[in-house]
Amino acid sequence: MRCLLSLFVLLMGLFATVNSYAADAPQPALTTEDSSGPQVVQPIEFPHDRHAGLRNPSDPTNSDPLKGGMEIDCMYCHTYARRSAVAGIPTLQKCIGCHQSIESVRNKPRIQELFKYWDAKKPVPWKKVHDMPDFVRFNHERHIKRFVEQQNRPTQEACGYCHGDVKQMTVARRSKGLTMGWCANCHQKDHPVTAAGGTPVGNQAYWYSFQKPVAGTAGGEVKAQDTNNIKAQGPNDCWQCHK
Amino acid sequence: MSQRHLLALFNNFEDAEAAIYELRAADIKGFNFDDLTLKSPIEHHEVESVLGQRSANVQWFSLGGSLLGGLLGFFLISGSQANFYAQMKGGKPIVPFPPNFVLTFEMCVLGGVFITILGFLICAGLPAKRSPLYNAKVSEDQIGVLVKADESAMAKIKGVFLNHQALEIQEEVSK
Amino acid sequence: MKDIREDIAWAQINQDVLKSMESPRKLYWVILFFAFAAFCVGVGCEVYQYQTGMGVANKNNPHAWGLYISTFIFWIGMSHSGTLLSAILHLMHADWRKPIFRFAEALTTFSLMTAGLFVMVHLGRLWQFYYSVPYPDERGLWPNFQSPLLWDAMAIFTYLSSSILFLYIGMIPDLAICRDHLHEGWRKKLYTLLSLGWEGTDRQWRNFRVTYLTIACFLIPLAVSVHSIVAADFAMSQQPGWHVTSFPAYFVAGALYSGCSAIITLFIILRYVFKFEEYMTLPILKKTVRLTFAIAMIWTYLNAVEFASVWYSHDQASKDVLIQKVVGPFAPFWWGMIFCGSVVPLMLAFKRFQTNVPVLFVVSLLLNLGMWLERWMIVAPTFSHGYYPWTWDHDQWPGFVQWGMVFASFGWFTMLFMGFCKVFPSVSMYEVKEMVYHRKLHLKNSETAEQGAH
Amino acid sequence: MSVNNLLENWAQFRHFHPVDDKPHDPYKWAMSIDLDACTGCNACSVACYAENNLPVVGKEKYQHGHVMHWIRIERYWDESLGVAGGGDFPEQGAQFLPMMCQQCEAAPCETVCPAAATNHTADGLNSQIYNRCVGSRYCSANCPFKVRYFNWYDYPTTDNVWPAEMNQQLNPDVTVRSKGVMEKCTFCVQRLHAAKGTAKNEGRLVHDGDVQTACQQACPTSAITFGNLVDPESKVHKQWQSQQVELDKDAQVKDQKEGGSGLRGYRIFEELRPYPSVMYLERVRESAV
Amino acid sequence: MIDSGLDRRDFLKVLGWGGAAAALSGCGNTSIEDGKETVVSYVEAADYAIPGIGVYYNSTCAQCDAGCSINGRVREGRVLKLEGNPASAINRGKTCGLGQAGVQHHYNPDRVREPMLRKGDKFETITWDKAYALIAEKLNGAKGEEVAFLSGGVSGHLKVLLGNYLASIGCKNHYVYEALAPAVARAANKKAYGIEMPRFNINKAKVVLSFGADFLGSWVSPVHFSQQYAQFRKGVDGQRGVLIQVESKMTLTGANADRWVPVRPGTEGILALGIINELGMASGDIAAAVKGYDRIRVSKETGVPPGQIDKIAALLKLRSPSLVLAGSAAEGYAHGSQNAAAINLLNHVLGNVGKTIEASSSVTFTQMAPAKGNTAALKSLNDGLAAGKYKVLFSYAANPVFTAPGALKFKDNLAKADFKVSFAHYLDETALQADLVLPLDSALEDWNTQVPEYMAEGAQINIQQPLMEKLHANTRGMGDILLALVKQRRAEEYKSFDDYYAYLRAAMLQNKGALGGGGADDDTFWNDTLTKGIVKLAGSSGALSGKASVVGLTLPAPSAADAQYPLHLIPGVTASLRDGRHANQPWLQESPDPLTTIVWDSWVEIHPKKAAELGIKEGDILEVTSRSGSIKAQAYLFPGIHPDAISVPLGRGHDALGRYAKGYGANPFQILDAVFDQETGELAMHETRVKVSKTGQCVIVVKDEGSAGGKQMGRKIAVSMSTDEVDLSKEV
């Protein structure tokens, strides 16, 4: 009889754990959260740390490349990110634009390599680093608009959510999972959904924006106080990212 | 005093039954009647009247298993439907009853069957080590009675068995 | 005539049954080879289809489903025979089932395994099949629990695992016999392992009985639910000709029907091959045949109910599908189904055929053919003639890949079944002993009673 | 804990859409197609091929019914044509009907997909997620309109579907489907999302006319109108309203009027209760000739 | 949408070409771009070129001569899709299927990529310099009159440059050949209205009576007419327009008509006169001329029931203004001009001239006006070739080996020319016969101006500009080639133009004032022009001058039955394939014919009754034999055709033109008899008589229509209601 009892305790425990784990939006720990993606060998070993890294505080003029970066804004080069779904690679012209007047590094092998491409009028065959499957569509523009323009977060922080701490890297390397669960995780945190009564509806159902209309939007025009609400609506169906 | 095993083989169930009756009535010192095991090629219901009602608990496992399965089924399904943020079906609620009940039923059966089997293994003590005395005849056509008793009771028990036309008596070699 | 002789020695039973597990004859290997070859045809077809796309099976836009699904239902249906014999008849204390239920259960298990293959073969993206399996994943996604296909998967999984367990549990005492009476070798090790140390003690028997009974209780509603859920795949959809209330009952009847006819076929084969005349006696066959006849009539009735309800409904689309079946391009197959399913079984009503083995063999094969046609007639015609006339397509017929796969499923099943027969006892020895024992007891009691009356 | 969640928000989870719902907010994409204007010229269909990366399957596969046109033009003759008592010639011309996914509000396809690859979106579309699809084809089997198309072959790697150069035309905003995947008209969801993104950036809603579907844009007679049904300013809203066609009805009130309502709006297979989002306007036949 | 104001040329120059196309997408384990490792990046890029964002450029559709303006979506340097340009009066932002498929003309894998010279049976690749040198050499050895230039319809600056080139080599033999041009209509219109192509205001008419004019499908400017048609259906003054189509084979327009009137082939003119007679509105010599055409006689000769004639006449009388159109079906006979004249007379009688038929504008630069193609040109060329008059023959944008009637034996005659140069996009049938094949830029890579023949509102010059960089390095624009060739003779005159672009720009700027750019500086004007893609001009408006006249109007009695060849062959003109030059665009091959829904193949349309008579069922392979040859095609039972006629669609049956065209279907041009219109000398396309016989083979017809064969089976799918039930007034 005792064995029966203990068995039941065991089973109920099993039930509770399986059920709560399975039903409670499983977000298993990401194996790739801190690990890095494959090391990509680029045609030119581009030093992100040198360009975007923090200035050496002791030497604000920073003439020595070994002593810190130049804190260039991400979007100075990746200028398409705020205007397009695609962040894009800066044009070669952009690199040359600065480097033709930076005499100090002109003779470095990497810069010479760069100028070789320029002279041949050939684009640098940069390799993909953050390569998503073809059926995944990420919109850079919307994320920049939201984090940088609306919430005034620093660019490097906002970009870093997905791209990692690029200012520490030389050649960029994937450092976040970029899996679907990883994406969804963030969205669930940032777009909490509450039911009509105000209770948070778990971590699900962006869909409920469907039932909770933004006040006064039935018409074409929107009241001023609602515009933020419209801007903030996150994805609520699979089609947002897969189409 | 050390205990030893003794296995007697009978040609048919009546003989074995008679022998057990006698053993029970004899009340031999050094032999507890509960230490008697009947081994047979088929099931004999009648044995219960001889050995007394020894309980079978498997059905409780079945009940528990099916309840567990059903609960797990319903909540796992409903819970995941409530959490899967994009699984909206036009014309249907997010947690619909008819499909969930179907699956609850299946889970109920699944849990029931699995836990019943588990219960069977537990209650029947399977998988078991083979007992020290075993004869392949038991799985063919003979009835075996296995007793465990003190050394001192052995002779008496043997006597009883022989009285009832035991075909063969095997004794555990003394340690 | 008696179901079984009371005076068969128990040792004889062991000996006869174990003999069937001895090294196979040459013919066995030949048949096995052909079965394997047939299976390989299917593997070849699947590899081709997997690499090229489903189009090679000659399905198309209206004909979304084809022989895969119909053959799937066919095998699922066949699986109900085992449950019928071992569970339903067990609960009804019909002890004539005892010599034949083991192979029927094996039939259940293997036909389910065959059916499962068709689910896989049917998928357009087999390599992604795990998307329809409920498990907590990184994506946070679940399959759609509202889909009858998912219920189907769940029901089949439950049914298959329960059937395997049921078969196995019921076989433990026999495995112990095998362990005790076979020579050393890999088999002995296998049986030692599988018999879990069964010794036939009173405690083991007691729990065994309760377990067996309980699982039988579970299996009956399960089996019914499995085929009603398969019916739900169709009845829950909007296709004309599928959206029929009587489908679950119709499917279950059909399932039992095809299961029974498959049992007759295998009964005859095993009886002949293993010389089991002592155990698989003609009176048992007769009982099975009568059962089959009864179910055939139920099936015929439900068939008629379906037609009648469609005919008297105002659902023009369903009516069109029915007319299409009767007079359209599918007519030969539909009439074939009616002939094999409703006319041929009338022969079973005659006593002289009920024990005529050659006739029964042919009849049972025809019944199976009829039941296969039935499934095809359920699945295919409505696609060619659905709601939307613009997409009607009467010119599309299953391609060789589909036929190859159907053909291969029989090879696969034969392989599994033949393997089973040589590795496991296909007649339950302990239950036959029980049967003999009880018959003997009964005889003795009645003799005593008679004597007393004198 | 999920059980808590279930219990606390039970009412939300037992909510039936679209019957229990307030109107969609802020978007419900819908269409209306004027059959009197449609000439059956096929421009919409070709435009769809161009926009949505539809493969050209070729003669052989077309013969086997493997064609992938998301929007097809159907040509119907009068029922009386060629039968006893009817005429020998189609004297009233033919009837053309562009048929594409009707984006049903209670779509029969959604409930049956085992992998949940087709779902309902907040803006009232019937989404098809290619990468989630396992290819059971149940959705197609259950679609009364038969407007779902299955990738019977791997068209990206099939000869002469997209040979070199031809593949440069592929729209990068639309996934190219591989074998074993179901697909269908999406109401040009890539365009809808682009328009919504732009509108969001500007803190407004999408206005009528901001976005056109490819078929609508091409249609030489402007027979196709597309827009946001809940926006009272949109043309599609006005059309639905003036035709008295309501989204969540399986029979329209106007149709019960004796002597007819004089209105042309209808939806195909309304009585099957899928609540289609496409309203057709009946073709008009001149009674004077 | 971004309409760029920047110089398109600069844009193209600065675009570094990564070679790799941008990430094409795929799904699952197969993807076109799967495994591509590199990201697309540019060397330099203009501000507006943003990866992931489409840029839209205006240009002109070159798929047919209607001159629709298009708006191409370009992403990552690739043109993806063509939309209509809303600013154009011709198509107002709309396109037809043919226009949509323009990208497939550009990306077609079977384009010619290198200049090729014939070596025996094969071609070998040569350089452009060598090709030019060869042309110069051959021309030096030939007198001006020994050179002939065959082209399709050309207009704009290309036509000017071509004219200059021909003048420079002293060639006066420019044959402008279009197989399906409305040439008879032009002549008839000129006679009736004083203008070859007046403006037809379908939208202003309450009744349109069309004699075989497939204005919704392929006639003159279908996209424009389709829009007018939509307005016409919405109605003038709340009255929905009524369309009556008279023809022997149902066209797309016929399928949309309120009343489709099957008429005995060739008797359209008789019916028109019969209607005039029935109307009783004519007077004087017209009334006298039609007097004999009473309803009984007309009914007997045309096969149209008298009651039908009454109804049509009554309706025309009741509802005014109306519009009567004479289309190619009525004109394709030896008496085609007479038919057209009779039909145009109806407009005069009904008083439509000036109301629904108006004078059209034309561009003031007459040298840019389109050289209008016709089939009479083919005949003279053929005669010349047969006589061995030509040593050098150029051919551009025409494929006479495919489209010439079989009876002309054009291919054999062509062989008599010593040196044949073909400017070609693809190796079509004609290019295959050439000695030198010069690869052309596609219409989406090339510069040009285009002046449409049919002007919608005012006059306009359409700009055609490159939407992307050249796909193949060694193709050249026709303008560039002509410029290079003309420089061989007149190097001094043209030395300031590096290329055709410079020529075009200079030519446009020269007339800046007249083109509406007065006051603007050159760059602004030029950029503005390119941005818009259209130059709208006031244009010179000719006046309608024709008078109703019956002089010379004699309609022959319907031809007697031909015992040997009992059936009329009506070559079907489909909206998407036209004369077959687009047959290599797979979207068009796979786009079902609207009426039969057949794809990828030719068919013989035959009336079900006739088919029953002949024991023909759908899918039977029929042999169609005329006096000039025979072809084989599958039978399709089609109720929309006169029982005395069969129809085989044009455009298919290529034995060249690449993988999508070659070997699909049959070419009815091959069996056309060489019968010509008596007045204009145009080919009478409908005069061929044929017989059909079964070959015994049978196939499954590849079509979209299902087994229900276009019936709805009582399900309410495509529903219609009659005008007395409907209340259109409440509609939005």
Tab-separated table of all heavy atoms in Angstrom, chain A residues 132-146:
chain	number	residue	atom	x	y	z
A	132	MET	N	19.957	34.693	-41.719
A	132	MET	CA	18.698	34.070	-41.314
A	132	MET	C	18.230	33.136	-42.430
A	132	MET	O	18.586	33.340	-43.590
A	132	MET	CB	17.630	35.150	-41.132
A	132	MET	CG	17.935	36.154	-40.059
A	132	MET	SD	17.169	35.693	-38.529
A	132	MET	CE	18.364	34.656	-37.849
A	133	PRO	N	17.418	32.153	-42.082
A	133	PRO	CA	16.809	31.371	-43.161
A	133	PRO	C	15.994	32.301	-44.055
A	133	PRO	O	15.559	33.370	-43.614
A	133	PRO	CB	15.884	30.404	-42.425
A	133	PRO	CG	16.328	30.403	-41.023
A	133	PRO	CD	16.982	31.705	-40.761
A	134	ASP	N	15.809	31.889	-45.288
A	134	ASP	CA	15.158	32.768	-46.247
A	134	ASP	C	13.728	33.127	-45.884
A	134	ASP	O	13.195	34.107	-46.355
A	134	ASP	CB	15.153	32.099	-47.628
A	134	ASP	CG	16.557	31.973	-48.154
A	134	ASP	OD1	17.435	32.687	-47.644
A	134	ASP	OD2	16.773	31.164	-49.069
A	135	PHE	N	13.112	32.288	-45.087
A	135	PHE	CA	11.704	32.541	-44.792
A	135	PHE	C	11.506	33.413	-43.553
A	135	PHE	O	10.399	33.595	-43.094
A	135	PHE	CB	10.940	31.229	-44.643
A	135	PHE	CG	11.594	30.243	-43.714
A	135	PHE	CD1	11.496	30.403	-42.354
A	135	PHE	CD2	12.315	29.167	-44.215
A	135	PHE	CE1	12.098	29.506	-41.505
A	135	PHE	CE2	12.921	28.270	-43.374
A	135	PHE	CZ	12.816	28.438	-42.008
A	136	VAL	N	12.585	33.924	-43.019
A	136	VAL	CA	12.472	34.798	-41.845
A	136	VAL	C	12.696	36.236	-42.289
A	136	VAL	O	13.652	36.524	-42.993
A	136	VAL	CB	13.506	34.410	-40.786
A	136	VAL	CG1	13.399	35.329	-39.590
A	136	VAL	CG2	13.320	32.975	-40.369
A	137	ARG	N	11.804	37.100	-41.895
A	137	ARG	CA	11.934	38.504	-42.277
A	137	ARG	C	12.006	39.380	-41.041
A	137	ARG	O	11.065	39.474	-40.279
A	137	ARG	CB	10.754	38.912	-43.153
A	137	ARG	CG	10.926	38.332	-44.515
A	137	ARG	CD	9.650	38.117	-45.235
A	137	ARG	NE	9.828	36.981	-46.133
A	137	ARG	CZ	10.601	37.029	-47.201
A	137	ARG	NH1	11.241	38.125	-47.520
A	137	ARG	NH2	10.736	35.961	-47.952
A	138	PHE	N	13.149	39.972	-40.876
A	138	PHE	CA	13.358	40.861	-39.745
A	138	PHE	C	13.379	42.277	-40.279
A	138	PHE	O	14.023	42.559	-41.279
A	138	PHE	CB	14.688	40.523	-39.069
A	138	PHE	CG	15.020	41.435	-37.922
A	138	PHE	CD1	14.514	41.181	-36.655
A	138	PHE	CD2	15.822	42.547	-38.095
A	138	PHE	CE1	14.809	42.023	-35.597
A	138	PHE	CE2	16.112	43.395	-37.045
A	138	PHE	CZ	15.606	43.131	-35.793
A	139	ASN	N	12.681	43.181	-39.596
A	139	ASN	CA	12.621	44.544	-40.076
A	139	ASN	C	13.504	45.432	-39.204
A	139	ASN	O	13.162	45.754	-38.076
A	139	ASN	CB	11.164	45.020	-40.044
A	139	ASN	CG	10.977	46.308	-40.793
A	139	ASN	OD1	11.920	47.105	-40.892
A	139	ASN	ND2	9.797	46.511	-41.319
A	140	HIS	N	14.654	45.814	-39.727
A	140	HIS	CA	15.542	46.686	-38.963
A	140	HIS	C	14.894	48.036	-38.691
A	140	HIS	O	14.963	48.566	-37.598
A	140	HIS	CB	16.853	46.919	-39.729
A	140	HIS	CG	17.803	45.766	-39.627
A	140	HIS	ND1	17.801	44.736	-40.521
A	140	HIS	CD2	18.774	45.492	-38.727
A	140	HIS	CE1	18.738	43.862	-40.189
A	140	HIS	NE2	19.344	44.290	-39.093
A	141	GLU	N	14.257	48.550	-39.710
A	141	GLU	CA	13.708	49.896	-39.610
A	141	GLU	C	12.778	50.054	-38.414
A	141	GLU	O	12.902	50.982	-37.626
A	141	GLU	CB	12.945	50.208	-40.913
A	141	GLU	CG	12.367	51.601	-40.955
A	141	GLU	CD	11.445	51.794	-42.151
A	141	GLU	OE1	11.095	50.791	-42.798
A	141	GLU	OE2	11.086	52.940	-42.428
A	142	ARG	N	11.874	49.087	-38.261
A	142	ARG	CA	10.899	49.195	-37.174
A	142	ARG	C	11.582	49.130	-35.817
A	142	ARG	O	11.188	49.826	-34.888
A	142	ARG	CB	9.856	48.065	-37.293
A	142	ARG	CG	8.789	48.264	-38.326
A	142	ARG	CD	7.964	49.513	-38.118
A	142	ARG	NE	7.381	49.589	-36.792
A	142	ARG	CZ	7.162	50.715	-36.131
A	142	ARG	NH1	7.469	51.878	-36.659
A	142	ARG	NH2	6.654	50.681	-34.917
A	143	HIS	N	12.590	48.316	-35.694
A	143	HIS	CA	13.263	48.192	-34.404
A	143	HIS	C	14.046	49.460	-34.079
A	143	HIS	O	14.070	49.900	-32.932
A	143	HIS	CB	14.165	46.956	-34.394
A	143	HIS	CG	13.392	45.675	-34.310
A	143	HIS	ND1	12.838	45.077	-35.412
A	143	HIS	CD2	13.054	44.897	-33.254
A	143	HIS	CE1	12.197	43.980	-35.044
A	143	HIS	NE2	12.306	43.837	-33.724
A	144	ILE	N	14.673	50.023	-35.080
A	144	ILE	CA	15.417	51.274	-34.850
A	144	ILE	C	14.452	52.396	-34.486
A	144	ILE	O	14.668	53.161	-33.545
A	144	ILE	CB	16.223	51.659	-36.114
A	144	ILE	CG1	17.235	50.574	-36.453
A	144	ILE	CG2	16.885	52.999	-35.938
A	144	ILE	CD1	18.412	50.502	-35.554
A	145	LYS	N	13.355	52.440	-35.221
A	145	LYS	CA	12.364	53.488	-34.950
A	145	LYS	C	11.902	53.401	-33.495
A	145	LYS	O	11.761	54.392	-32.803
A	145	LYS	CB	11.157	53.332	-35.877
A	145	LYS	CG	11.441	53.712	-37.310
A	145	LYS	CD	11.101	55.158	-37.584
A	145	LYS	CE	11.074	55.456	-39.061
A	145	LYS	NZ	12.224	56.051	-39.657
A	146	ARG	N	11.654	52.185	-33.076
A	146	ARG	CA	11.088	52.016	-31.749
A	146	ARG	C	12.120	52.280	-30.674
A	146	ARG	O	11.887	53.072	-29.764
A	146	ARG	CB	10.552	50.583	-31.609
A	146	ARG	CG	10.050	50.214	-30.248
A	146	ARG	CD	8.702	49.545	-30.326
A	146	ARG	NE	8.292	49.062	-29.012
A	146	ARG	CZ	7.653	49.812	-28.144
A	146	ARG	NH1	7.381	51.075	-28.445
A	146	ARG	NH2	7.287	49.328	-26.965
